[in-house]
């Protein structure tokens, strides 16, 4: 069965997108996803940038369906917009958390609560202000790329760090973060915090092996940063990393994003809150 996608614009500027129907075994599958993708892309192009997507009638969502939502969210955020999901089923929540997307895709129990929270958020910072922040971040990124390796500082064990902005630094891990080399990561995080770098992006994209010692080091770095009103954000996409976080019960502790730019955007808001 194909997904049925409809939407309704509200006077307060929020557009509610409703998704109904089931694919094989109750999953919105690849054959069904194009319609949702087309609708979301059309709304973004029409500058309908505050979207609440109602998935409450779906029993579960597969990774392809989640990918459609993540792509749309990225397009929205580039323009200063946002997306929230309405989820009633425990399985859909588990699908989102299991894919490590619970920090990216905000979800609520009902459309009214999702709309209320979104309007509250945008009272503090408008679409125009958020779009300007994204454009500023793009300029900073291009400047960093022009500077190249001069901003990078190598450590032991395949780790290195670089200062992305005046307040945010990026720490990149080698392929293994375990009992044998986690001490190098620990030293780097400790040194950065002692230097007053309290907002850190830890890039775990290349990690193929993460054990409990590596997780403990990351937890310690997060704790140190928070002692100074700072924050850590993690970049991860591998199943190995999410598996270890689930095993240690820390999936909901670490704010985790699919790209460095998304993590930097999150920390930029944390910097504003800390210095507000």
């Amino acid at each position: 069965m194909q997904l049925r996608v409809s939407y309704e614009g509200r006077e307060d500027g929020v557009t509610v997108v409703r998704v109904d129907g089931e694919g094989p075994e109750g999953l919105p599958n690849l054959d069904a996803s194009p319609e949702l993708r087309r609708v979301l892309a059309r709304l973004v192009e029409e500058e309908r940038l505050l979207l609440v997507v109602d998935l409450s009638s779906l029993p579960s969502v597969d990774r392809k369906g989640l990918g459609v939502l993540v792509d749309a969210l990225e397009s929205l955020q580039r323009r200063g917009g946002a997306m929230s999901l309405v989820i009633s089923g425990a399985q859909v929540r588990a699908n989102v958390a299991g894919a490590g997307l619970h920090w990216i895709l905000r979800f609520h129990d009902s459309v009214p609560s999702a709309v209320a929270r979104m309007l509250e958020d945008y009272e503090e910072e408008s679409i125009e202000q958020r779009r300007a922040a994204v454009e500023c971040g793009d300029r900073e990124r291009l400047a960093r790329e022009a500077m190249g390796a001069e901003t990078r500082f190598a450590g032991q064990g395949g780790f290195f760090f670089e200062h992305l902005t005046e307040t945010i630094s990026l720490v990149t891990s080698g392929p293994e973060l375990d009992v044998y080399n986690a001490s190098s990561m620990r030293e780097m995080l400790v040194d950065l915090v002692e230097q007053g770098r309290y907002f850190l992006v830890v890039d775990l994209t290349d990690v193929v092996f993460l054990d409990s010692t590596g997780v403990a080091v990351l937890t310690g770095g997060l704790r140190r940063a928070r002692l100074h009103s700072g924050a850590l954000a993690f970049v991860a996409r591998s199943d190995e990393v999410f598996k270890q976080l689930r095993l240690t019960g820390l999936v909901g502790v670490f704010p985790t994003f699919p790209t460095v730019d998304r993590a930097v955007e999150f920390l930029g808001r944390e910097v504003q809150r800390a210095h507000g």
Side-chain angles (χ1 to χ4, degrees):
M1 182 183 296
Q2 296 289 315
L3 289 180
R4 297 183 297 275
V5 183
S6 60
Y7 61 89
E8 177 185 2
R10 295 165 49 99
E11 293 183 359
D12 52 25
V14 176
T15 299
V16 178
V17 181
R18 291 184 171 83
V19 184
D20 300 290
E22 300 179 0
E25 301 179 356
L27 298 178
N29 58 17
L30 185 62
D31 292 335
S33 297
E35 177 61 19
L36 177 58
R37 189 184 297 275
R38 282 193 293 270
V39 169
L40 294 177
R42 183 190 314 136
L43 293 174
V44 172
E45 289 302 316
E46 293 175 356
E47 291 290 305
R48 298 178 184 235
L49 301 179
L50 302 181
L51 301 185
V52 170
V53 181
D54 185 359
L55 304 177
S56 58
S57 69
L58 300 182
S60 59
V61 180
D62 67 0
R63 286 181 176 267
K64 294 172 183 176
L66 291 174
V68 171
L69 296 172
V70 171
D71 289 345
L73 177 61
E74 291 179 350
S75 295
L76 286 165
Q77 291 182 328
R78 298 294 303 171
R79 294 166 170 80
M83 175 193 292
S84 290
L85 306 182
V86 177
I87 300 174
S88 60
Q91 184 58 52
V92 179
R93 291 177 182 265
N95 295 148
V96 174
L101 298 175
H102 54 292
W103 285 101
I104 302 171
L105 298 169
R106 176 179 289 178
F107 48 84
H108 300 264
D109 294 324
S110 67
V111 170
S113 65
V115 170
R117 179 58 187 272
M118 183 171 287
L119 293 177
E120 180 181 340
D121 288 346
Y122 276 80
E123 282 183 358
E124 300 177 359
E125 190 177 20
S126 69
I127 289 176
E128 291 74 19
Q129 289 173 314
R130 294 181 185 219
R131 186 177 302 188
V134 170
E135 293 172 352
C136 179
D138 286 343
R139 290 193 293 271
E140 290 182 351
R141 176 176 55 79
L142 291 173
R144 292 197 307 271
E145 291 175 355
M147 293 173 68
E150 295 179 1
T151 65
R152 290 187 167 188
F153 304 88
Q156 297 180 350
F159 305 107
F160 66 85
F161 72 91
E162 56 184 311
H163 301 315
L164 303 183
T165 70
E166 292 182 358
T167 54
I168 299 173
S169 296
L170 170 67
V171 177
T172 302
S173 175
E176 297 180 349
L177 184 55
D178 57 16
V179 65
Y180 299 105
N181 59 16
S183 59
S184 297
M185 171 67 84
R186 179 184 180 279
E187 292 173 4
M188 186 170 288
L189 294 175
V190 169
D191 287 345
L192 286 167
V193 172
E194 289 180 349
Q195 294 170 25
R197 310 295 299 192
Y198 304 139
F199 296 89
L200 304 175
V201 175
V202 180
D203 188 355
L204 305 175
T205 301
D206 295 332
V207 172
V208 295
F209 185 75
L210 172 69
D211 68 4
S212 58
T213 303
V215 173
V217 167
L218 297 176
T219 304
L222 179 62
R223 183 172 61 252
R224 288 184 180 88
R226 285 180 173 175
L227 287 174
H228 299 276
S229 300
L232 264 68
F234 296 85
V235 178
R237 291 191 290 272
S238 74
D239 291 337
E240 173 62 28
V241 171
F242 289 118
K243 175 183 176 183
Q244 190 59 236
L245 295 181
R246 286 194 295 272
L247 288 174
T248 53
L250 294 172
V251 170
V253 174
F254 297 133
T256 306
F257 302 89
T259 65
V260 170
D261 285 346
R262 293 290 308 282
V264 170
E265 181 183 347
F266 167 79
L267 286 183
R269 299 188 191 284
E270 295 298 301
V271 170
Q272 292 179 352
R273 293 190 183 97
H275 298 165

